[in-house]
Amino acid sequence: MPDSTGDSRTAFQVALTPSGRQGQVPRGANLLKAARQLGVELESICGGRQTCFKCQVAVEEGRFPKLGLTSRADHLTPLTPQEETYFAEHNITGRRLACACQVQGDLLIAVPEESQARKQIIAKAATERAIQVDPAVRQVYVEVRQPSLEEVRGDWERLAEALGEQWDLHDLSIDGRALPALQSALRQGGFAVTVSLWQDREVLRVQPGYAEGVYGLAVDIGSTTVVAHLCDLRTGEVLATQAAMNPQVRYGEDLMSRVSYAMSEPQGLARLHRAVILTLNELAEKAAASAGVSTEDVLDAVVVGNTVMHHIFLGINPVELGGAPFALAVDSPLDLRARDLGLSFNPAARLHLLPIIAGHVGADNVAVQLAEEPYAQDKTMLIVDVGTNAEIVLGDRERVLVASSPTGPAFEGAQISHGQRAAPGAVERVRIDPQTLEPFIKVIGYPDWIAPGSVDLPEPAKATGICGSGIIEAVAELYLAGLINADGRFERSAAEVSPRLLLSGRTAEYLLADADQTATGSPIVITQNDVRAIQLAKAALYAGIKLLMAARGVERVDRVVLAGAFGSFISPYHAMVLGLIPDCELEHVYAVGNAAGDGARIALLNRRQREKASWLARWAEHVQMPLEASFQEEFVAALALPHARDPFPHLADSLPEASEERKARPRHRIREKYNKA
Ligand code: FES
């Protein structure tokens, strides 16, 4: 029956953010149950009786071309009396109780963190690093000459004079927002004050007497997550680290879909910009609260991000980055006032953005280089930062080359049939027994491996999907077990000996988790298309690496650094088996966590490093991938597992083709069986 909008469909598209889960939901379905069926578990202590008020969600209104839907608040049934009373009493607007409403149209539903039963996991710890502390903002204590009838100069002029005499600081200015508090601070402190200065040039704050405590925020705005480290600018100590999903995910999973959202929607850019500023303010509040300080004491911030994130953060339309020649609005380092962007730190707080190298090699890449110092190495270092766009750095003390390769979001679980982001419930590790072809899986949030055939699993052990590290291990293990060949095709003959390999017409899929091992009650499979998506992504990355190696004139790398949160979770061995990275001694392949965040922290705590970043951005040589004629050729060769022609001597004993044990492996047993037949 058509509803008031004339829509007579019997099922609707429902998407949930930040999980990214979506699917068709029948008309009239209860939203709490529908979310569960789509793999999103909401808090529901009362079991849907509208009494615990834990299952709150919000409808994101608007047109979402990427999701192919238009979402409206009236695509849910009207507020129930219980909802009306509760929301009115608590002064809450824009929320619904998922258990209280039924679906009657397409929807994009935002699930706030407090309503998520399985909360997002983000690798956020700041790595221990030795950083020489020489911040851009510092405090000095100064005693100022008192005014008199003979002394006609203003308080500011006498303060500036005292700073010259006692600290050798000259040609100073004062931020307009610090000026109104100047006179009272001087008098309250008996003409002794603590002054916070930026770059020894500008006074940001004047506090009465002796005051201690000036803090800064180092921020990495990634396409998927935003991480902020609150640091003591005097000691360099990281006082708190906070991370959140990048709220822009709801407007587009990958960078290009956000660019097109900014282009096609009249309020698109403003929404994307506001969302990230709001998140940054929330992270600052949370970090300050957990460290027991006030955001009023945050006087400096360094922000890094890829070029699209950088432009949107500044409120610049990234439209030019959507196509060649990928013209940047600005690539120099920037010194701004945090308040101009709506950041609610101290009103005079400063903001520094590291420079950009090229259209798709951003300030995050410069930050990674600050942290890992490829320019100071005697041996060749390869740094790979895998995200929706892989950024690659190859260098040593003679040359550093950088490039960005369009891997797409497959490594983050998107475009994979049961893919999801890294969150509790996601399969993160996979082993396939080469003899029995049975899988062992490990899900995030549950400590033990789950053996094949396990039943009656506790709720946290039930899988909801497979995340990036899980799919990489799964494809590599399928290959090692002989279930797929070097071309990535399933060995259909294996279905003779393993009920896990399900054949359907010309295609096949591997049953990774049985229906009773999952939270959704549906099995999790790896399809031929999933394998293909991973092959395409890894080939784009590997081809980019090979072009940089060719440009540098090297045939091997001595060290491989996996940067980014994702890099922390992937197994170097499986990454190499898959041919995601070139051959290298396995002990020289390691993850460094959020190196971009660490680089931001280095630039926050040491102003000389900001100068080094400027130099690096100009010195590094950018290799433009799409313009390289040999990219296609390298790409095609890199589609094979691990590669069509490159040797992988460090995997010699592991690969099916090379292993002496291969005769014992099922693929070969199967072949033998067929040969005999
Ligand atoms: S589940 Fe308790 S109010 Fe919705």
Side-chain angles (χ1 to χ4, degrees):
M1 191 182 69
D3 60 17
S4 55
T5 63
D7 193 338
S8 60
R9 288 177 293 160
T10 55
F12 302 104
Q13 189 68 10
V14 174
L16 295 120
T17 180
S19 67
R21 308 294 302 216
Q22 58 174 307
Q24 288 282 307
V25 168
R27 175 189 287 275
N30 175 278
L31 184 58
L32 181 70
K33 291 183 183 153
R36 189 171 297 148
Q37 270 156 16
L38 292 173
V40 177
E41 201 64 46
L42 298 180
E43 291 280 5
S44 61
I45 295 171
C46 73
R49 292 183 186 81
Q50 298 183 49
T51 53
C52 72
F53 308 106
K54 295 282 184 210
C55 62
Q56 292 183 31
V57 295
V59 176
E60 291 284 343
E61 291 201 275
R63 204 168 65 85
F64 298 92
K66 176 87 176 146
L67 298 169
L69 59 82
T70 296
S71 170
R72 290 185 1 204
D74 65 1
H75 287 175
L76 286 174
T77 44
L79 282 166
T80 62
Q82 288 96 321
E83 286 181 285
E84 273 180 3
T85 312
Y86 177 80
F87 291 137
E89 275 174 6
H90 292 80
N91 212 8
I92 295 172
T93 52
R95 289 275 177 101
R96 296 298 307 266
L97 296 179
C99 69
C101 41
Q102 278 78 43
V103 174
Q104 49 185 18
D106 292 342
L107 286 160
L108 174 57
I109 299 291
V111 183
E113 197 176 323
E114 62 274 17
S115 303
Q116 294 167 17
R118 294 162 177 261
K119 296 187 188 357
Q120 189 78 21
I121 281 192
I122 294 162
K124 58 182 185 178
T127 316
E128 287 292 317
R129 285 178 191 277
I131 305 169
Q132 206 185 348
V133 180
D134 176 17
V137 175
R138 64 172 178 141
Q139 290 180 304
V140 296
Y141 174 79
V142 63
E143 289 170 357
V144 182
R145 201 164 289 133
Q146 300 219 5
S148 66
L149 287 174
E150 292 73 42
E151 173 61 272
V152 293
R153 291 178 308 158
D155 282 347
W156 160 240
E157 285 70 23
R158 273 179 287 105
L159 171 60
E161 179 188 69
L163 286 165
E165 287 168 2
Q166 294 163 44
W167 290 95
D168 201 20
L169 293 163
H170 304 282
D171 300 324
L172 297 173
S173 61
I174 181 165
D175 186 283
R177 302 292 276 273
L179 208 44
L182 171 66
Q183 291 204 301
S184 61
L186 280 169
R187 280 148 188 87
Q188 265 182 46
F191 287 87
V193 286
T194 300
V195 175
S196 299
L197 288 139
W198 175 74
Q199 296 285 18
D200 290 347
R201 294 208 299 266
E202 186 178 56
V203 172
L204 302 183
R205 188 188 203 188
V206 184
Q207 294 168 276
Y210 178 80
E212 215 175 82
V214 58
Y215 307 104
L217 215 57
V219 180
D220 172 32
I221 305 177
S223 322
T224 311
T225 55
V226 183
V227 181
H229 302 297
L230 178 72
C231 302
D232 186 323
L233 292 182
R234 196 176 56 82
T235 62
E237 192 188 346
V238 180
L239 301 176
T241 294
Q242 289 288 334
M245 289 291 294
N246 186 328
Q248 297 167 348
V249 164
R250 74 185 66 143
Y251 305 112
E253 283 281 342
D254 53 47
L255 293 176
M256 281 309 120
S257 50
R258 283 180 225 171
V259 171
S260 61
Y261 184 76
M263 276 165 66
S264 59
E265 293 294 311
Q267 288 300 310
L269 172 63
R271 277 190 202 141
L272 291 165
H273 172 71
R274 251 198 322 272
V276 73
I277 297 290
L278 216 61
T279 296
L280 208 47
N281 283 336
E282 284 169 10
L283 291 180
E285 281 287 347
K286 282 188 192 167
S290 76
V293 304
S294 160
T295 50
E296 185 72 17
D297 297 327
V298 174
L299 283 164
D300 198 13
V302 170
V303 172
V304 302
N306 59 53
T307 52
V308 174
M309 294 299 98
H310 171 280
H311 276 39
I312 293 175
F313 172 69
L314 291 172
I316 299 169
N317 197 319
V319 55
E320 294 297 331
L321 299 173
F326 311 108
L328 293 154
V330 57
D331 60 16
S332 318
L334 295 173
D335 283 310
L336 305 169
R337 291 177 204 283
R339 65 175 181 255
D340 290 345
L341 290 179
L343 294 170
S344 50
F345 313 150
N346 182 288
R350 303 295 304 224
L351 173 67
H352 181 81
L353 280 90
L354 290 186
I356 285 172
I357 297 179
H360 281 294
V361 186
D364 52 347
N365 188 299
V366 177
V368 168
Q369 291 194 50
L370 274 188
E372 297 307 317
E373 303 185 332
Y375 53 85
Q377 307 297 320
D378 291 326
K379 297 195 165 183
T380 315
M381 176 188 266
L382 169 70
I383 308 174
V384 179
D385 193 345
V386 181
T388 53
N389 221 29
E391 296 198 358
I392 314 163
V393 179
L394 180 79
D396 51 42
R397 59 174 73 247
E398 280 177 31
R399 284 173 76 190
V400 169
L401 297 102
V402 298
S404 151
S405 204
T407 50
F411 290 145
E412 299 199 333
Q415 295 172 345
I416 302 297
S417 48
H418 289 87
Q420 68 161 94
R421 291 202 189 85
V427 175
E428 60 168 343
R429 317 211 58 188
V430 175
R431 293 290 177 274
I432 297 176
D433 185 315
Q435 302 302 324
T436 64
L437 304 183
E438 289 293 301
F440 292 75
I441 58 173
K442 199 175 164 311
V443 303
I444 299 177
Y446 190 69
D448 303 327
W449 282 85
I450 297 156
S454 303
V455 289
D456 296 331
L457 292 172
E459 207 49 40
K462 291 197 169 178
T464 52
I466 185 162
C467 66
S469 61
I471 188 75
I472 282 178
E473 290 200 0
V475 176
E477 286 282 321
L478 285 170
Y479 174 57
L480 289 169
L483 281 157
I484 57 174
N485 61 25
D487 293 334
R489 283 190 216 292
F490 276 106
E491 291 274 6
R492 297 173 67 83
S493 54
E496 292 285 321
V497 290
S498 172
R500 295 253 162 207
L501 192 63
L502 311 167
L503 303 182
S504 153
R506 289 166 61 87
T507 184
E509 57 191 31
Y510 179 77
L511 177 61
L512 187 67
D514 301 316
D516 52 8
Q517 293 178 326
T518 71
T520 56
S522 306
I524 292 176
V525 295
I526 308 291
T527 67
Q528 187 69 69
N529 282 344
D530 296 340
V531 176
R532 195 71 189 155
I534 289 299
Q535 281 179 283
L536 292 171
K538 76 103 181 174
L541 175 59
Y542 194 91
I545 293 170
K546 282 301 294 286
L547 290 189
L548 286 196
M549 288 169 70
R552 180 68 189 93
V554 295
E555 297 203 334
R556 56 185 296 277
V557 296
D558 298 304
R559 189 164 298 237
V560 179
V561 177
L562 301 168
F566 175 64
S568 306
F569 296 113
I570 57 179
S571 133
Y573 171 69
H574 289 89
M576 206 182 286
V577 166
L578 202 60
L580 193 77
I581 50 174
D583 185 70
C584 180
E585 283 202 32
L586 268 173
E587 59 265 36
H588 292 160
V589 183
Y590 53 90
V592 290
N594 181 10
D598 288 342
R601 195 156 57 90
I602 290 167
L604 175 72
L605 295 176
N606 188 311
R607 53 186 164 157
R608 306 283 163 237
Q609 294 284 335
R610 299 183 188 186
E611 290 162 20
K612 185 180 275 180
S614 275
W615 165 78
L616 268 175
R618 304 284 76 86
W619 186 68
E621 301 166 49
H622 176 235
V623 179
Q624 182 75 264
M625 284 298 142
L627 300 181
E628 285 284 348
S630 45
F631 184 83
Q632 269 307 319
E633 193 193 317
E634 284 294 350
F635 178 77
V636 171
L639 283 170
L641 305 177
H643 194 271
R645 51 169 193 257
D646 286 359
F648 279 76
H650 290 101
L651 293 176
D653 294 336
S654 318
L655 296 184
E657 287 80 5
S659 170
E660 266 308 299
E661 296 165 37
R662 70 186 189 278
K663 292 189 183 67
R665 290 184 190 275
R667 170 143 60 118
H668 305 283
R669 284 211 319 269
I670 295 159
R671 281 195 181 138
E672 279 160 25
K673 180 179 153 195
Y674 272 78
N675 288 344
K676 278 179 202 150

